[in-house]
Amino acid sequence: MRRITLLCISLLFLLTEPGISQTNIDSLRNRLNDLPADTSKVQLLLKLVNYYRMRNMEDSLLSYTSQTIELSENLNYPEGKVSAILARGLIAHAKGRFEESKQSYREALALAKQIDLKKQLGAIYLNFGITFNRAGEYDSSFYYFTLAEKNFEANNQTTDLWRVYNGLALLYNTRGELGKAGNYYDKAFAAVKNSDNRMHKGYMIYQAAEFFFFTDNYTKYQEYAEYWHNFQSQKKATRDLIESPEHSALSFLFTDDDDATIRRLKNAIDYFWELGNLKRSAWCMTDLCRVYQKTDQTDKAIDVCLKAAEVFESIDEKLRLAEAKRLLYQAYEVKNNYKQALTHYRDYNNILNDLQSFEREQTLADLEIRYETD
């Protein structure tokens, strides 16, 4: 059976431009002074905002976001303002500041409803769903994913439905409802299967294959493995995507080249760390832990997973911390260090219990939030 490694890709959604190189970004910045203060300048500012958002460079993003909002207000161009506010919420989400993120989404939602920007509502609802899921508030997450689905369908934005279904798959997977999660992975891939966007299609093939592999559904795994091999054989190979740290797992999908896997994950860990994206760096650390465990390098697995746990705890990323603790107790069992194995198992169990308790306590607050945004 061929192996899959976890993919460090964030789901955060914004209607984005294709990737921009450093040379192009310098050119865009130089063009700012030459453009008149009209909507074309707003669009250029939004390209800069998106560039810095994708690289998790908050200071630069906030600077250009402020410029975008100010110019949009002067031009009475609310579409630009909504996009800039949404980007501000996305960077807060990436930094783990979920309440701040939700506040930006509420601001964007209120403005979009006020001027009836129907085609931007779906993106806002979707990001609400993602952030509530990350915050462990699952009922609200489901509610906003459902709103996003209805909005995309009503506005004939069917090419974006896969994002909703993937979000719901992640939600049900987190809750342990694996049957529903599998159904939504299938729906997400069906929605993007005939798309011309190879990045979206490759992403969903990977996510679904990963899920079915780790839930021991090898029949479905083989189905998606076949999709992947067909995807690879198509002429338009996206080498830039495959080689980028953001999508490091794609280059060794379904292979047994453990040395390449380890090398690329180490590069990705350093890349995200230097960007200040601690969550994704630590996520790659847990992936590296799995590879070390697979190759019987248990001491290295423990070292890298202890670091991941430390990072996840420092940014209050409880679900990922629980996963790191699970990997640690398994590794210590292999070493016959049952004292440490028991310690990390108890930590793992306590975190899950706390998350479930938090979810129950959030029920009333969830309902209040729905009334505020309806």
Side-chain angles (χ1 to χ4, degrees), residues 12-291:
L12 292 181
F13 172 63
L14 188 64
L15 297 179
T16 60
E17 299 289 336
I20 304 172
S21 70
Q22 182 61 50
T23 301
N24 288 336
I25 208 68
D26 291 338
S27 174
L28 289 179
R29 283 198 297 256
N30 292 334
R31 283 178 54 202
L32 273 179
N33 295 327
D34 299 330
L35 287 177
D38 58 17
T39 56
S40 64
K41 189 167 187 175
V42 173
Q43 294 303 318
L44 190 149
L45 283 166
L46 285 172
K47 287 184 178 181
L48 289 166
V49 166
N50 187 55
Y51 174 85
Y52 290 114
R53 181 184 69 82
M54 295 299 289
R55 285 151 183 81
N56 214 29
M57 300 169 69
E58 184 170 15
D59 290 344
S60 296
L61 176 140
L62 293 178
S63 174
Y64 285 110
T65 296
S66 297
Q67 294 179 52
T68 306
I69 291 173
E70 181 180 357
L71 180 57
S72 297
E73 288 176 342
N74 292 338
L75 295 171
N76 192 25
Y77 182 52
E79 292 90 343
K81 184 176 180 180
V82 169
S83 295
I85 295 170
L86 184 55
R88 192 176 64 198
L90 289 169
I91 196 69
H93 173 106
K95 298 289 187 179
R97 303 194 303 267
F98 301 132
E99 290 307 316
E100 181 182 330
S101 177
K102 287 184 280 188
Q103 184 55 42
S104 290
Y105 297 158
R106 292 187 189 102
E107 187 179 343
L109 180 61
L111 180 57
K113 283 187 172 183
Q114 178 183 336
I115 56 178
D116 202 27
L117 291 179
K118 293 179 180 178
K119 290 198 172 183
Q120 285 186 284
L121 287 176
I124 299 170
Y125 290 141
L126 180 58
N127 281 294
F128 261 125
I130 294 165
T131 296
F132 276 117
N133 187 29
R134 282 280 309 280
E137 301 173 50
Y138 302 124
D139 288 342
S140 286
S141 177
F142 179 80
Y143 173 75
Y144 282 105
F145 280 138
T146 301
L147 286 183
E149 180 182 19
K150 291 178 180 177
N151 183 269
F152 286 145
E153 289 177 339
N155 291 288
N156 199 31
Q157 294 171 273
T158 54
T159 56
D160 292 317
L161 283 172
W162 72 272
R163 303 176 188 272
V164 178
Y165 300 146
N166 187 48
L168 286 165
L170 292 170
L171 170 63
Y172 282 119
N173 192 11
T174 301
R175 293 175 63 113
E177 299 182 52
L178 302 184
K180 291 181 179 178
N183 289 339
Y184 274 110
Y185 278 121
D186 282 338
K187 287 188 71 172
F189 178 63
V192 78
K193 185 176 181 179
N194 297 318
S195 171
D196 293 330
N197 191 313
R198 283 180 57 81
M199 181 183 292
H200 296 168
K201 188 185 301 185
Y203 174 81
M204 275 319 309
I205 293 172
Y206 184 89
Q207 291 283 10
E210 173 199 59
F211 170 79
F212 289 118
F213 183 86
F214 284 116
T215 54
D216 298 329
N217 189 337
Y218 294 115
T219 300
K220 292 293 293 185
Y221 164 75
Q222 289 290 352
E223 178 183 331
Y224 279 96
E226 185 63 28
Y227 285 137
W228 176 256
H229 293 309
N230 291 338
F231 175 79
Q232 281 188 314
S233 68
Q234 294 171 11
K235 292 182 180 179
K236 295 181 181 179
T238 52
R239 295 306 306 172
D240 288 343
L241 169 65
I242 289 173
E243 295 296 334
S244 67
E246 292 92 338
H247 305 84
S248 56
L250 284 173
S251 61
F252 48 79
L253 259 174
F254 309 106
T255 74
D256 294 309
D257 190 347
D258 295 312
D259 290 338
T261 300
I262 291 169
R263 183 177 64 255
R264 289 189 177 278
L265 284 173
K266 285 182 175 180
N267 288 339
I269 289 166
D270 292 341
Y271 174 81
F272 291 122
W273 191 271
E274 290 172 4
L275 283 181
N277 192 338
L278 302 186
K279 175 182 177 289
R280 291 182 69 181
S281 181
W283 193 343
C284 291
M285 291 177 198
T286 57
D287 290 351
L288 183 56
C289 175
R290 290 185 177 88
V291 182

